[in-house]
């Protein structure tokens, strides 16, 4: 895979994923989202009621709607036109006052400087090139004192060529990590944990980066780091969904950042 997986190719993959993605997310097949990631990340984001919030990489809008129902004035952007169409269809069906725009989070010229109180991004910033450009744009559109919170797959554990290590009985005993210092875009192929067995796999372009790249890019743009979190799946969740217990016992699946734009 070349270094040059471009945004138009990312959009092409997500346009192809969009129908099935929306169907399955709306049917609750993404159990990690439902029972682990969303509860933890929404608590991490904090209060959004009454705020102007941008959702960067909003997909078909599931989590944009979730924050709108919590009282935020939401705007969602995504690079996939099909995802944005699906989000708008849902907005027409059940209006929540959400504005959706088809654009990249690296190029937010549609929005004036300092137009949002907060920016959030759910599991989207590791899925596109140009994290540095995205961070500069998100800093620009955020008001001074505003926060930017995002979730990504954990860059130290989710790497190209990574896989579970198992004992003779097939029990997970560890996680193999590879190519951490030599990231190159790749296409991840996977299904949601509770997807029907005949569901097609998603093709997800992935842009691995080191942890230091994430942190230093945020600091270089002018953000102040407020908090990070590596949510650990609760015991009860792992009992109910044993396939997920490796993410409790051996490695972190997600990493959350909350950073603040300093007050002038
Ligand atoms: C894993 S999905 C997450 C979608 C949504 N946030 C959610 O939680 O359901 C990643 C999304 O990032 C979007 N994406 C990838 N690169 C992008 C970019 N440069 N600008 C905006 N969206 C992008 C994809 O189109 C896709 O909808």
């Amino acid at each position: 895979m070349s270094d040059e997986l471009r945004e138009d190719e990312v959009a092409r993959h997500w346009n192809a994923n969009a129908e099935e993605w929306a169907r399955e997310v709306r049917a609750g097949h993404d159990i990690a989202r439902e029972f682990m990631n969303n509860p933890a990340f929404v608590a991490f984001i904090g209060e959004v009621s009454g705020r102007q919030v941008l959702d960067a990489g909003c997909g078909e809008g599931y989590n944009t709607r979730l924050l709108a129902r919590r009282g935020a004035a939401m705007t969602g952007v995504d690079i996939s036109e099909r995802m944005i169409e699906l989000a708008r269809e849902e907005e027409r069906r059940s209006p929540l006052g959400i504005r959706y725009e088809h654009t990249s989070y690296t190029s937010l010229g549609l929005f004036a400087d300092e137009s949002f109180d907060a920016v959030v991004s759910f599991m989207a910033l590791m899925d596109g090139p140009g994290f540095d450009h995205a961070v500069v744009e998100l800093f620009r559109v955020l008001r001074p004192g505003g926060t930017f919170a995002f979730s990504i797959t954990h860059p130290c554990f989710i790497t190209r060529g990574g896989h579970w290590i198992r004992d003779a009985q097939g029990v997970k005993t560890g996680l193999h990590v590879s190519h951490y210092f030599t990231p190159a875009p790749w296409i991840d192929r996977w299904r949601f944990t509770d997807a029907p067995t005949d569901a097609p796999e998603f093709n997800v372009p992935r842009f691995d980066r080191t942890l230091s790249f994430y942190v230093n890019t945020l600091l270089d743009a002018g953000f102040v780091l407020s908090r990070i979190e590596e949510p650990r799946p609760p015991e009860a969740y792992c009992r109910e969904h044993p396939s997920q217990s490796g993410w409790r016992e051996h490695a972190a699946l997600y990493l959350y950042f909350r950073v603040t734009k300093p007050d002038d």
Side-chain angles (χ1 to χ4, degrees):
M1 169 79 41
S2 106
D3 268 338
E4 316 240 321
L5 188 52
R6 294 183 321 259
E7 286 194 338
D8 57 339
E9 295 169 74
V10 171
R12 187 172 52 77
H13 281 290
W14 280 105
N15 283 336
N17 291 334
E19 305 285 337
E20 183 66 17
W21 178 274
R23 189 169 28 252
E24 293 204 32
V25 166
R26 294 173 188 182
H29 293 162
D30 186 2
I31 56 163
R33 165 194 307 254
E34 300 292 335
F35 301 112
M36 215 286 263
N37 203 10
N38 271 359
F41 187 60
V42 168
F44 183 81
I45 292 170
E47 185 58 57
V48 289
S49 180
R51 309 237 163 99
Q52 291 286 340
V53 180
L54 175 68
D55 183 3
C58 63
E60 54 68 58
Y62 187 91
N63 294 327
T64 329
R65 294 188 289 278
L66 189 155
L67 295 188
R69 286 189 207 100
R70 297 172 82 94
M74 294 300 299
T75 300
V77 297
D78 202 279
I79 202 165
S80 156
E81 1 0 358
R82 190 61 196 127
M83 285 288 200
I84 290 294
E85 279 169 18
L86 289 162
R88 285 181 177 153
E89 278 169 20
E90 191 55 31
E91 174 65 19
R92 279 193 291 275
R93 249 192 308 272
S94 303
L96 289 165
I98 303 173
R99 172 184 177 190
Y100 290 105
E101 297 291 350
H102 171 225
T103 191
S104 170
Y105 45 52
T106 62
S107 174
L108 296 171
L110 278 171
F111 306 112
D113 295 357
E114 304 182 5
S115 40
F116 295 99
D117 301 311
V119 174
V120 298
S121 179
F122 293 75
M123 304 303 293
L125 286 161
M126 71 292 175
D127 285 352
F131 180 74
D132 45 353
H133 296 290
V135 166
V136 167
E137 274 296 77
L138 297 172
F139 186 90
R140 181 184 67 75
V141 300
L142 195 56
R143 69 156 169 80
T147 58
F148 167 34
F150 65 95
S151 58
I152 50 174
T153 49
H154 200 303
C156 301
F157 300 112
I158 309 299
T159 56
R160 182 168 41 103
H163 55 85
W164 289 111
I165 303 163
R166 296 172 190 267
D167 67 14
Q169 282 69 48
V171 175
K172 288 174 188 158
T173 56
L175 183 74
H176 175 88
V177 170
S178 56
H179 305 296
Y180 179 68
F181 285 113
T182 51
W186 55 290
I187 305 289
D188 198 3
R189 294 192 167 79
W190 51 274
R191 291 188 181 88
F192 289 130
T193 312
D194 260 16
T197 45
D198 60 348
E201 285 186 328
F202 301 116
N203 287 325
V204 176
R206 296 293 318 279
F207 296 81
D208 293 348
R209 301 164 180 119
T210 59
L211 180 59
S212 52
F213 180 83
Y214 275 111
V215 173
N216 293 332
T217 303
L218 292 162
L219 300 180
D220 289 347
F223 281 113
V224 174
L225 182 59
S226 313
R227 193 137 200 96
I228 64 170
E229 196 165 302
E230 296 164 298
R232 193 173 178 202
E235 229 172 331
Y237 167 77
C238 291
R239 252 198 320 276
E240 198 146 323
H241 306 287
S243 69
Q244 302 298 294
S245 61
W247 302 117
R248 178 175 173 81
E249 286 160 23
H250 300 297
L253 177 54
Y254 305 121
L255 178 60
Y256 301 166
F257 281 95
R258 188 166 67 236
V259 295
T260 307
K261 179 170 178 173
D263 268 314
D264 290 332

